[in-house]
Amino acid sequence: MRAEREWLRASVFPELEERLRQRHHELEPIDLRWAVEAETPERQESSLLQTLRVALGEIERARGVQIVLVGDRYGWVPPEEQARAAADEAGFEVEVAGKSVFALEVEFGLQGNLGDEQDRFFYFREPLDYDRMPPELAAEYSGDPNAGRLAELKQRIEREMPDRVRTYRAEWDEGKGAVVGLDDFGRMVLEDVWQVI
């Protein structure tokens, strides 16, 4: 979801900032992946407890609008004892066994104590044309052994927040080696967030 997050940062958030500035308010975007991606996989695993602490804390602190991007990967499933320790510390009562960090973040955000549901939007990207991608790259976007768990998570989100789920299409540009075609996605996020604000 790097392309979508970059699109938000470069195209959507500046427009929101300008609209808010006219009303004497500020936008403070929080991306739960910024700190995680800066670390090596080995460091991520050794600092999982801290990563989950920060992520759950930021979700709770960010009581404004939450934008959840969902692709075709369930994500990394941490060791159960570390996930349990982070969840307990956050006062998060949930079964952690076999759940990815992403799934735990989503479930934490779905808890009823974080405010009105209208503050959360879920954007499900339709599958990319993986046949046009090099196999090793397609595997990064879609080769997930936990695809069944991702499908269950999507179904839960759709069941619990049906009017907050959006689906969008993006394209794979072979020449650029990147996800493109995010204009409609960006406009949808901009208008959803602006309506809430």
Side-chain angles (χ1 to χ4, degrees):
M1 308 306 286
R2 287 186 187 108
E4 285 87 343
R5 290 181 7 250
E6 178 59 25
W7 192 265
L8 292 173
R9 189 194 66 71
S11 300
V12 176
F13 294 161
E15 173 66 22
L16 279 172
E17 286 171 342
E18 181 57 33
R19 291 182 185 187
L20 287 168
R21 193 173 7 264
Q22 293 172 10
R23 289 179 160 80
H24 309 290
H25 291 283
E26 292 182 21
L27 176 71
E28 183 183 353
I30 298 169
D31 186 332
L32 297 180
R33 295 296 162 257
W34 286 337
V36 176
E37 287 183 346
E39 298 182 346
T40 65
E42 297 79 24
R43 178 123 170 88
Q44 284 178 24
E45 188 166 338
S46 69
S47 66
L48 170 68
L49 184 58
Q50 181 60 26
T51 299
L52 279 174
R53 281 180 187 147
V54 170
L56 298 179
E58 288 299 305
I59 291 169
E60 188 166 20
R61 185 175 78 84
R63 293 185 182 256
V65 178
Q66 295 177 13
I67 299 168
V68 182
L69 306 176
V70 185
D72 290 326
R73 294 195 58 85
Y74 185 66
W76 179 61
V77 178
E80 185 176 346
E81 68 268 0
Q82 291 180 341
R84 176 79 271 145
D88 288 347
E89 186 175 291
F92 181 30
E93 295 181 23
V94 67
E95 178 55 49
V96 298
K99 292 188 178 167
S100 68
V101 172
F102 171 70
L104 291 170
E105 292 166 352
V106 169
E107 288 201 32
F108 190 70
L110 286 173
Q111 279 189 337
N113 64 345
L114 293 182
D116 194 309
E117 73 176 49
Q118 76 178 16
D119 295 341
R120 287 182 279 289
F121 291 95
F122 298 85
Y123 298 90
F124 292 3
R125 182 179 62 205
E126 293 179 10
L128 296 170
D129 187 357
Y130 296 116
D131 293 338
R132 294 178 56 207
M133 301 169 79
E136 65 280 356
L137 192 56
E140 285 183 33
Y141 282 86
S142 67
D144 194 335
N146 293 305
R149 289 182 184 215
L150 178 63
E152 289 172 11
L153 181 61
K154 286 180 174 181
Q155 289 169 358
R156 177 177 174 205
I157 292 167
E158 289 175 321
R159 191 173 52 250
E160 293 187 22
M161 306 190 121
D163 61 335
R164 298 296 170 198
V165 174
R166 311 289 189 257
T167 302
Y168 68 95
R169 178 134 185 85
E171 302 292 330
W172 177 256
D173 185 314
E174 293 177 74
K176 292 181 179 179
V179 174
V180 297
L182 295 169
D183 292 327
D184 291 341
F185 160 76
R187 279 190 292 276
M188 184 169 34
V189 173
L190 178 65
E191 293 312 317
D192 282 343
V193 172
W194 189 243
Q195 287 297 326
V196 170
I197 292 173

